[in-house]
Amino acid sequence: MRKSVIAIVGRPNVGKSTIFNRLVGERISIVEDTPGVTRDRIYAEAEWLTSTFNVIDTGGIEIGDEPLLVQMRAQAQVAIDEADVIVFMVNGRDGITGADEEVAKLLFKSNKPVVLAVNKVDNPQMRENIYEFYSLGFGEPFPISGTHGLGLGDLLDEVVKHFPERIEEEIDDDTIRFSLIGRPNVGKSSLVNSLLGQERVIVSDIAGTTRDAVDSPFTKDGRDYVIIDTAGMRKRGKVYESTEKYSILRALKAIERSDVVLTLIDADTGIQEQDKKIAGYAHEAGKAVVIVVNKWDTLETDEKTMKEFEDKVRDNFRFLDYAPIVYLSAKTKKRIHTLLPRVLEVSENHAKRVQTNVLNEVIMDALAMNPSPSIKGQKLKIFYAAQVSVKPPSFVVFVNEPELMHFTYERFLENRIREAFGFEGTPIKIFARKRS
């Protein structure tokens, strides 16, 4: 099930970024009193009651022919197109402006649910100013104050009412869903076509050709798969087309729906900083990961090349030390046969459960091998452990005091669990809980 998407839209300087930061709980957007500071869409995850959703902050919509204004409108339009619900923000101190009316016309054309938020209503006396906003035609205006955090609960209650019904995808549980992520032009679409054996996805040397996620089911050696191609992710500041920059959120949606994520690296151009950032999305989402080094045919290789490249990968992707590495060429299909067996293996590890009694034998053996250190005169005591979930495999370790579980000892336990049960390709989560 994909997360719903909220776009915060309005003319410049109505407080969109302040509200965005309130919703996501941290200062991500730049907040300044200068109109037009937020020039790109910025997105993050937020929660309200039982709902988890993505929030997009957009640059203010201004009418004009200047290149920057045109780009800001284009960015906002893409956010509107992709959103499930739009929060239309106006400034309660200014009343309705001509720019507000122009934004309203744009939103009417979208045919999306629109919730009207009147910001900067900082005291009860100002609430009388909200009634004129009924004339914009979006129903009841919700008075809020981004500065003081007032009225956001009522606003979000209304927003979540308009979320689309969450429907499980009709895909068999045995079907393995995997997505491809990476910088533009690393060969994601070529790899899709090589795996499918047909030209299902447009392939081009122009970076950013793939604009959206494309699902392609196929069967190989009796196993069912769904491959999800995603638009390439580019570093902020190096993307000039609105649809291209928005591809990051689309890729995150694809990661959400995946069991396995293939992180593609271009062997020809080598590892870049953006590769690590992109791979981090899959790791943080708790997905199984395979690192795919594509365009292996472009290198002059000898018996040392693969080992040298692996050392570079491991040094740069230390947080993915559990992920296997596959070297191939999507274009020539060299070593392409090595990929799906790895996808199948890490998918099974991602869903693996271990017996509680065997798990505790491993934990107790680890304790005997390396007793927990004392912290401020107190010693960690581990009573027992249990696996509580899969995808990713998650374990609860019941202890005397959770704060005594140092991250280095947690890492030690993770390594012992991996040695005993495998789990290659999948992250593992360990939680310390006080025994009641």
Side-chain angles (χ1 to χ4, degrees):
M1 294 184 294
R2 76 170 184 86
K3 294 182 178 72
S4 296
V5 179
I6 298 172
I8 305 174
V9 176
R11 64 179 173 84
N13 211 30
V14 294
K16 297 184 299 298
S17 296
T18 303
I19 294 299
F20 174 86
N21 293 333
R22 284 277 183 183
L23 295 183
V24 304
E26 53 185 314
R27 290 176 61 88
I28 297 176
S29 282
I30 300 169
V31 180
E32 234 175 79
D33 286 334
T34 306
V37 167
T38 306
R39 294 177 180 173
D40 303 313
R41 282 177 317 283
I42 303 174
Y43 58 89
E45 188 177 276
E47 294 182 2
W48 179 246
L49 302 178
T50 59
S51 297
T52 303
F53 47 89
N54 286 312
V55 186
I56 314 166
D57 185 20
T58 64
I61 301 173
E62 283 191 294
I63 308 304
D65 295 328
E66 294 88 344
L68 177 60
L69 301 184
V70 172
Q71 185 184 23
M72 287 166 62
R73 280 206 309 279
Q75 295 274 327
Q77 182 62 61
V78 175
I80 290 168
D81 292 342
E82 293 295 328
D84 297 302
V85 184
I86 299 162
V87 174
F88 176 21
M89 281 191 58
V90 294
N91 187 333
R93 296 175 183 172
D94 296 342
I96 297 175
T97 67
D100 291 328
E101 292 173 341
E102 293 297 329
V103 175
K105 291 177 184 177
L106 185 66
L107 297 182
F108 273 121
K109 295 177 184 177
S110 73
N111 293 317
K112 298 287 181 73
V114 176
V115 179
L116 180 60
V118 184
N119 193 25
K120 305 187 181 181
V121 181
D122 299 323
N123 57 67
Q125 290 75 27
M126 293 186 64
R127 294 177 69 93
E128 297 180 2
N129 298 338
I130 72 170
Y131 297 106
E132 67 171 299
F133 292 99
Y134 273 98
S135 65
L136 289 172
F138 293 107
E140 179 183 0
F142 286 82
I144 62 173
S145 169
T147 303
H148 303 292
L150 303 175
L152 294 183
D154 291 339
L155 176 68
L156 288 172
D157 283 343
E158 182 65 22
V159 167
V160 298
K161 290 178 184 177
H162 297 284
F163 283 171
E165 186 177 350
R166 300 182 71 179
I167 301 174
E168 291 279 1
E169 294 178 82
E170 295 182 2
I171 296 179
D172 190 273
D173 288 342
D174 292 332
T175 299
I176 299 172
R177 291 174 289 189
F178 64 97
S179 58
L180 290 73
I181 63 173
R183 291 182 288 111
N185 215 29
V186 294
K188 297 184 299 299
S189 295
S190 295
L191 183 53
V192 171
N193 291 333
S194 293
L195 290 171
L196 296 174
Q198 55 185 300
E199 295 299 312
R200 184 75 63 94
V201 180
I202 298 170
V203 177
S204 168
D205 288 334
I206 302 171
T209 300
T210 305
R211 297 300 187 200
D212 208 340
V214 180
D215 289 13
S216 301
F218 69 100
T219 301
K220 179 73 172 178
D221 297 330
R223 293 301 301 253
D224 293 328
Y225 299 86
V226 173
I227 188 169
I228 307 168
D229 187 28
T230 61
M233 302 184 193
R234 281 188 168 187
K235 187 182 297 185
R236 293 187 61 81
K238 290 195 174 180
V239 180
Y240 304 103
E241 288 186 58
S242 58
T243 51
E244 215 170 296
K245 178 163 282 189
Y246 200 70
S247 66
I248 294 179
L249 183 56
R250 290 174 178 164
L252 292 178
K253 292 180 185 177
I255 290 172
E256 287 175 17
R257 296 165 46 227
S258 302
D259 301 305
V260 180
V261 177
L262 308 186
T263 299
L264 267 68
I265 300 171
D266 188 327
D268 189 29
T269 60
I271 300 167
Q272 300 187 17
E273 190 65 27
Q274 184 70 348
D275 292 321
K276 292 185 279 187
K277 292 180 180 178
I278 292 170
Y281 290 125
H283 173 72
E284 290 166 7
K287 303 299 182 177
V289 176
V290 178
I291 299 172
V292 180
V293 181
N294 190 26
K295 305 184 184 181
W296 194 243
D297 60 307
T298 63
L299 301 185
E300 293 184 9
T301 59
D302 55 30
E303 66 277 2
K304 298 180 181 179
T305 308
M306 191 173 290
K307 179 64 170 65
E308 290 172 351
F309 205 100
E310 179 177 353
D311 290 342
K312 292 179 183 177
V313 171
R314 294 306 181 197
D315 185 54
N316 281 277
F317 295 87
R318 294 182 182 180
F319 60 95
L320 290 179
D321 57 355
Y322 55 82
I325 306 171
V326 174
Y327 304 84
L328 53 79
S329 169
K331 185 176 181 179
T332 66
K333 297 189 177 182
K334 180 181 180 181
R335 298 179 56 83
I336 196 82
H337 65 281
T338 64
L339 180 57
L340 285 182
R342 281 302 208 181
V343 171
L344 176 59
E345 179 185 5
V346 301
S347 175
E348 290 175 345
N349 288 339
H350 195 228
K352 182 188 292 185
R353 286 191 180 274
V354 299
Q355 293 181 345
T356 301
N357 62 327
V358 181
L359 171 66
N360 280 280
E361 288 177 7
V362 171
I363 295 295
M364 295 309 149
D365 286 347
L367 277 170
M369 180 192 312
N370 182 16
S372 59
S374 297
I375 299 177
K376 295 181 180 179
Q378 289 185 290
K379 194 172 183 65
L380 175 73
K381 294 181 180 179
I382 297 178
F383 301 109
Y384 63 98
Q387 184 175 357
V388 292
S389 64
V390 296
K391 296 186 177 184
S394 302
F395 303 87
V396 170
V397 179
F398 292 92
V399 300
N400 56 334
E401 292 294 341
E403 57 268 22
L404 297 177
M405 176 74 85
H406 194 268
F407 76 90
T408 55
Y409 200 73
E410 180 181 311
R411 182 74 174 188
F412 165 71
L413 293 178
E414 177 185 333
N415 290 337
R416 298 290 80 76
I417 291 172
R418 288 189 182 279
E419 287 177 7
F421 304 109
F423 289 118
E424 185 180 20
T426 178
I428 289 177
K429 293 186 177 181
I430 297 177
F431 305 94
R433 294 285 184 268
K434 187 179 180 70
R435 187 177 71 169
S436 57

